[in-house]
């Protein structure tokens, strides 16, 4: 079988690594991939938004299975675009991808089906929004409706911040805005909760805790994710049942009532307060860096899971997990998440030892003349598995010391909630 993987981040390198282990897979093409994927698959330079070019490529290379990593092509309808082809494409269709593509779509669904989430209001213009602000308490959360690469969310401590958020959103900072979402600020601890579904059955796909802020102690700007650990320290069978029964099932059933079938990974970003889950947001894909910390814990064959999903046979398989915990630390370029240098040489990669407990997944990297360069803000993901979170983290620190890349930085406190108590 020939497999295509769409995307170029750490998530896609981790997916590629798992697919590569499968006996049934012959060729893997990463569209466009990164330096890491180029060592285990073939990278193809292609514009991820050019669906015609991608389709043509899948025909030329006789691709049987196309796995979509990031949200943008899903929200833009790549799955619908491939409906008339023989290619099995893994991910939700455009209607289902509204769960991530429109925060307001999701909030309305929550309202209709009593799914626990922050109280909210939807406002059509700056004036209406500002009138609402007169009678509100702070902090408050203001969000642009559509995809904004994680940047369209403002946590506002006071009215001044809130006015800036409203003006920026309506001025089109995140694309044309017909409305804004204003939400109650939820307190508690966050958890990333994953399932995989074929439209009929759902299977759990484990949990993780991301660390979104750039500085230690969860301070500073929001980033794409500075590291993660898995499983979340919060998960237990009672909470799992609440999440499935109060959030996941009503969502998928609600979609079905709208004649929308959901298939693929579903990632619920949750706030857990007093052992109760509240939905912050949905993503229609695996998380990054959650994927890098979860997949090495997977005992079962990822290709089989994905194929079972495409063939609506998820009920026929069992998903098994290793007992070990895992930690992922992201090495970033100096300056990230603001301006950072591009095309910075990374030496010493050959000094990184990898085995079945220690992994190095690439993100923003590129190979030119057999040399690896950092080209993105998040550069490398170091993952380690152990029964003991602290040991896993020590192993990663050893790898980072061996690499000794002095053009970048990483958070030394990833997993502090399960280690530095
Ligand atoms: P999102 O892009 O919706 O995941 O939001 C980014 C981050 O903002 C989340 O991971 C939370 O840390 C935070 N956030 C979003 N909505 C809320 C909320 N209603 N209450 C508290 N924090 C929130
Ligand atoms: N880890 C956050 C995200 O993937 O959106």
């Amino acid at each position: 079988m020939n497999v295509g993987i769409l995307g170029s981040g750490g998530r896609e390198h981790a997916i590629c690594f798992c697919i590569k282990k499968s006996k049934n897979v012959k060729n893997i093409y990463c569209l466009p991939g990164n330096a890491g994927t180029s060592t285990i698959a073939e990278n193809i330079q292609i514009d991820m938004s050019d669906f015609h070019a991608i389709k043509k490529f899948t025909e030329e290379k006789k691709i049987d299975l196309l796995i979509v990593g990031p949200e943008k092509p899903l929200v833009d309808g790549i799955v619908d675009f491939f409906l008339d082809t023989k290619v099995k494409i893994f991910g939700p269709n455009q209607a289902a991808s509204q769960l991530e593509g429109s925060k307001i779509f999701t909030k309305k669904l929550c309202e209709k089906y009593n799914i626990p989430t922050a109280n909210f209001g939807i406002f059509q213009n700056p004036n209406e929004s500002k009138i609402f602000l007169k009678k509100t308490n702070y902090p408050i959360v203001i969000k642009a409706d559509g995809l904004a690469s994680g940047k369209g969310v403002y946590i506002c401590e006071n009215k001044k911040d809130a006015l800036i958020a409203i003006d920026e959103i309506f001025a089109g900072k995140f694309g044309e805005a017909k409305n804004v979402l204003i939400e109650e600020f939820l307190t508690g601890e966050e958890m990333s909760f994953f399932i995989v579904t074929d439209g009929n059955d759902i299977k759990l796909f484990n949990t993780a805790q991301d660390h979104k802020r750039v500085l230690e102690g969860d301070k500073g700007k929001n980033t794409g994710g500075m590291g993660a650990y898995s499983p979340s320290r919060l998960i237990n069978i009672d909470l799992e049942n609440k999440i499935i029964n109060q959030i996941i099932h009503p969502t998928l059933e609600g979609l079905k009532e709208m004649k929308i079938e959901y298939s693929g990974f579903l990632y619920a970003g949750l706030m857990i307060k007093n052992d109760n889950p509240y939905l912050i947001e949905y993503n229609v894909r695996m998380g990054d860096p959650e994927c890098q910390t979860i997949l090495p814990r997977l005992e079962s064959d990822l290709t089989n899971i994905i194929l079972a999903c495409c063939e609506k046979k998820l009920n026929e398989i069992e998903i098994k997990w290793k007992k070990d915990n895992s930690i992922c630390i992201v090495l970033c370029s100096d300056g990230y998440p603001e301006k950072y240098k591009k095309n910075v040489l990374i030496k010493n990669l050959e000094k990184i030892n990898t085995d079945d407990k220690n992994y190095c997944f690439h993100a923003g990297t590129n190979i030119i003349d057999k040399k690896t360069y950092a080209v993105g803000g998040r550069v490398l993901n170091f993952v380690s598995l152990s029964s003991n979170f602290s040991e896993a983290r020590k192993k990663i620190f050893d790898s980072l010391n061996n690499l000794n890349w002095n053009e970048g930085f990483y958070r030394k406190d990833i997993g502090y909630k399960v280690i530095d108590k």
Side-chain angles (χ1 to χ4, degrees), residues 218-243:
D218 293 330
K219 301 216 166 61
K221 296 227 159 190
N222 253 338
T223 69
M226 298 294 296
Y229 75 84
S230 174
S232 158
R233 69 167 181 159
L234 301 171
I235 197 67
N236 59 57
I237 193 76
D238 282 346
L239 182 61
E240 191 175 286
N241 286 334
K242 283 184 195 167
I243 295 166

Side-chain angles (χ1 to χ4, degrees), residues 103 107 117-119 140-143 149-155 183-187 190 210 212-213 222 267 269 271 279-283:
K103 293 190 191 311
K107 286 305 245 190
T117 186
N119 291 323
I140 202 161
V141 186
I142 303 188
K143 299 183 178 180
S149 313
K151 294 192 186 81
V153 175
Y154 295 76
I155 312 274
E183 272 183 24
E184 162 200 21
F185 177 78
L186 294 171
T187 55
E190 284 183 57
D210 190 5
K212 287 204 172 104
R213 303 289 199 95
N222 253 338
Y267 158 3
M271 188 69 86
L279 181 72
I280 299 177
E281 59 158 6
Y282 272 128
N283 297 305

Side-chain angles (χ1 to χ4, degrees), residues 4-226:
I5 301 171
L6 209 56
S8 62
R11 170 182 49 211
E12 286 76 22
H13 188 189
I15 291 173
C16 183
F17 181 86
C18 283
I19 298 291
K20 177 87 181 169
K21 285 194 287 189
S22 187
K23 287 184 197 74
N24 299 331
V25 173
K26 199 166 148 214
N27 298 303
I28 309 177
Y29 302 95
C30 292
L31 323 168
N34 56 37
T37 62
S38 76
T39 63
I40 53 172
E42 191 176 331
N43 282 359
I44 304 294
Q45 288 315 311
I46 210 163
D47 175 359
M48 268 197 279
S49 62
D50 188 345
F51 295 172
H52 286 282
I54 297 171
K55 195 186 258 181
K56 194 158 163 260
F57 179 78
T58 60
E59 284 161 3
E60 275 167 22
K61 295 290 178 182
K62 300 197 168 31
I63 303 276
D64 303 286
L65 172 67
L66 182 62
I67 301 169
V68 187
E71 63 277 15
K72 178 104 181 23
L74 295 168
V75 171
D76 290 343
I78 192 162
V79 171
D80 311 65
F81 192 80
F82 272 79
L83 270 186
D84 63 346
T85 70
K86 286 195 194 126
V87 181
K88 292 177 180 135
I89 181 161
F90 177 73
N93 62 26
Q94 189 165 30
S97 298
Q98 289 180 91
L99 283 183
E100 179 163 2
S102 168
K103 293 190 191 311
I104 291 178
F105 173 86
T106 299
K107 286 305 245 190
K108 287 185 173 162
L109 191 91
C110 289
E111 193 171 44
K112 187 163 174 200
Y113 296 97
N114 273 324
I115 295 167
T117 186
N119 291 323
F120 69 99
I122 298 162
F123 300 90
Q124 319 289 338
N125 59 57
N127 253 352
E128 226 181 74
S129 326
K130 288 175 187 173
I131 291 168
F132 172 81
L133 292 183
K134 286 189 179 153
K135 47 182 196 306
T136 190
N137 297 321
Y138 291 89
I140 202 161
V141 186
I142 303 188
K143 299 183 178 180
D145 182 35
L147 284 188
S149 313
K151 294 192 186 81
V153 175
Y154 295 76
I155 312 274
C156 304
E157 298 292 341
N158 51 49
K159 192 168 168 192
K160 190 172 151 242
D161 293 351
L163 292 174
I164 293 173
I166 286 168
D167 285 337
E168 288 191 353
I169 292 172
F170 277 114
K173 189 164 178 186
F174 310 100
E176 193 200 348
K178 292 200 179 76
N179 38 34
V180 291
L181 181 63
I182 304 189
E183 272 183 24
E184 162 200 21
F185 177 78
L186 294 171
T187 55
E189 192 171 320
E190 284 183 57
M191 174 168 109
S192 303
F193 184 91
F194 299 89
I195 59 126
V196 59
T197 172
D198 61 2
N200 296 322
D201 287 278
I202 70 164
K203 300 259 188 226
L204 301 179
F205 210 73
N206 231 301
T207 60
Q209 163 81 63
D210 190 5
H211 298 62
K212 287 204 172 104
R213 303 289 199 95
V214 68
L215 301 176
E216 280 161 28
D218 293 330
K219 301 216 166 61
K221 296 227 159 190
N222 253 338
T223 69
M226 298 294 296

Side-chain angles (χ1 to χ4, degrees), residues 175-357:
E176 193 200 348
K178 292 200 179 76
N179 38 34
V180 291
L181 181 63
I182 304 189
E183 272 183 24
E184 162 200 21
F185 177 78
L186 294 171
T187 55
E189 192 171 320
E190 284 183 57
M191 174 168 109
S192 303
F193 184 91
F194 299 89
I195 59 126
V196 59
T197 172
D198 61 2
N200 296 322
D201 287 278
I202 70 164
K203 300 259 188 226
L204 301 179
F205 210 73
N206 231 301
T207 60
Q209 163 81 63
D210 190 5
H211 298 62
K212 287 204 172 104
R213 303 289 199 95
V214 68
L215 301 176
E216 280 161 28
D218 293 330
K219 301 216 166 61
K221 296 227 159 190
N222 253 338
T223 69
M226 298 294 296
Y229 75 84
S230 174
S232 158
R233 69 167 181 159
L234 301 171
I235 197 67
N236 59 57
I237 193 76
D238 282 346
L239 182 61
E240 191 175 286
N241 286 334
K242 283 184 195 167
I243 295 166
I244 294 291
N245 295 326
Q246 298 174 13
I247 297 181
I248 304 292
H249 271 311
T251 299
L252 298 176
E253 290 305 311
L255 289 179
K256 273 188 192 148
E257 275 187 31
M258 288 185 248
K259 307 264 178 289
I260 299 174
E261 184 179 280
Y262 194 101
S263 170
F265 287 124
L266 178 63
Y267 158 3
L270 305 172
M271 188 69 86
I272 311 298
K273 188 181 179 186
N274 302 331
D275 298 321
N276 285 313
Y278 297 84
L279 181 72
I280 299 177
E281 59 158 6
Y282 272 128
N283 297 305
V284 296
R285 51 175 173 80
M286 275 306 284
D288 185 333
E290 288 95 326
C291 187
Q292 297 89 300
T293 204
I294 287 178
L295 283 186
R297 299 184 53 228
L298 181 66
E299 183 89 60
S300 306
D301 183 312
L302 181 65
T303 314
N304 285 348
I305 297 170
I306 288 179
L307 272 182
C309 202
C310 293
E311 292 166 358
K312 291 194 185 298
K313 290 180 181 163
L314 204 54
N315 64 337
E316 292 179 13
I317 62 161
E318 194 188 347
I319 302 185
K320 290 197 182 133
W321 298 94
K322 297 175 190 168
K323 289 211 168 58
D324 277 340
N325 300 317
S326 76
I327 292 221
C328 167
I329 298 182
V330 182
L331 177 63
C332 299
S333 271
D334 281 340
Y336 177 78
E338 316 247 24
K339 274 207 179 116
Y340 52 84
K341 280 196 257 169
K342 287 197 175 163
N343 301 314
V344 184
L345 184 65
I346 311 172
K347 289 190 209 152
N348 300 335
L349 273 167
E350 71 290 349
K351 292 189 184 161
I352 306 299
N353 296 319
T354 56
D355 52 33
D356 62 345
K357 300 251 182 194

